[in-house]
Amino acid sequence: MPRFHAWIDVAVVVCVLIATNVIAHFTTVWASIATVPVSAAILVVLMRRRGMQWSELGLSPRHWKRGTLYSLAAVALVLTVVAIGIALPFTRQFFLSERYATLSGAFVASMIIIPLQTVIPEELAFRGVLHGTLERVWGARGVFAAGSLLFGLWHVASSLNLTSGNAGLTAIFGSGLWGQVAGVTGAVVATAAAGFVFTWLRRRSGSILAPIALHWSLNGVGALAAALVWQISMG
């Protein structure tokens, strides 16, 4: 019976994530802002009521120190890679995105919107709640395989216009239907791979602080880099 209940928990979490993704991307602007954070909070409360421990959610204070050390290492690595990417002319074009045409807009997105609307709630949902429920059913292999795949599929809706809004990707894939398909496929593969790394950090450190830091640095530092490259290119 406990194993059956664990399966029910996995099913409930996956269904909530699917509904959240649809509402966030295909309804109203306000829904796109609030749905993911609200859903993540609901999932944490729900699983706590179902008996899940803070350590299973990656939120135990015992692992904060280790999580912080891994966080600093992850951010430093991303900063190094981004700096190299901006410096090289071939890779610089992949940072060009119309979404971050101003430094002020990129700063607000990096420091407020991305952490609160995307990074923290997604990590609570995936490396916190989903991680904990999958581990109860399938163990580490299930967490890595199913968790990474679901994280990749989570990004299908958000990547529908990926190639049309990025100069580097448009140059490679084009902006038509096949370019869109290629962009979505690439985004799913890339984010599934990122999910695998986030999961490794979560298990290695015992805390979701490390995947939060890496996730933020990929998105937040990426936004600042995009704005910087845009200013250089337009100037």
Side-chain angles (χ1 to χ4, degrees):
M1 188 64 72
R3 187 170 179 82
F4 175 75
H5 288 163
W7 276 105
I8 294 296
D9 289 342
V10 171
V12 168
V13 172
V14 171
C15 287
V16 170
L17 289 174
I18 292 172
T20 299
N21 197 275
V22 171
I23 294 170
H25 290 99
F26 301 107
T27 55
T28 67
V29 174
W30 286 109
S32 69
I33 294 172
T35 303
V36 178
V38 170
S39 295
I42 289 173
L43 284 173
V44 170
V45 172
L46 179 62
M47 288 303 111
R48 280 289 295 166
R49 292 181 64 86
R50 295 281 292 166
M52 189 165 286
Q53 302 299 311
W54 289 118
S55 58
E56 293 181 277
L57 294 167
L59 297 171
S60 173
R62 297 198 320 269
H63 301 115
W64 284 355
K65 181 179 179 179
R66 189 174 179 85
T68 300
L69 293 175
Y70 274 89
S71 298
L72 294 173
V75 173
L77 176 61
V78 172
L79 285 172
T80 302
V81 172
V82 169
I84 295 172
I86 293 175
L88 298 176
F90 172 74
T91 52
R92 189 182 302 147
Q93 63 178 329
F94 292 101
F95 290 93
L96 274 175
S97 176
E98 297 176 357
R99 182 185 303 178
Y100 303 116
T102 65
L103 288 172
S104 59
F107 184 81
V108 171
S110 176
M111 299 302 170
I112 300 175
I113 298 174
I114 289 174
L116 298 182
Q117 188 178 334
T118 302
V119 172
I120 294 174
E122 283 188 2
E123 291 307 313
L124 282 173
F126 282 90
R127 257 61 62 180
V129 176
L130 183 64
H131 184 111
T133 54
L134 286 173
E135 194 161 42
R136 284 184 170 187
V137 174
W138 284 328
R141 290 183 179 180
V143 173
F144 276 103
S148 301
L149 176 60
L150 288 169
F151 189 64
L153 294 175
W154 170 264
H155 290 84
V156 169
S158 61
S159 60
L160 291 174
N161 298 315
L162 184 63
T163 52
S164 62
N166 185 289
L169 294 177
T170 301
I172 295 175
F173 299 116
S175 57
L177 176 60
W178 288 112
Q180 184 182 44
V181 171
V184 170
T185 302
V188 170
V189 172
T191 50
F196 189 93
V197 176
F198 295 158
T199 299
W200 181 84
L201 281 172
R202 159 75 169 81
R203 287 185 58 81
R204 186 75 176 176
S205 66
S207 171
I208 67 168
L209 290 178
I212 284 175
L214 179 57
H215 195 163
W216 171 81
S217 58
L218 290 172
N219 290 22
V221 173
L224 294 172
L228 180 61
V229 171
W230 186 276
Q231 296 301 313
I232 293 172
S233 301
M234 296 301 107

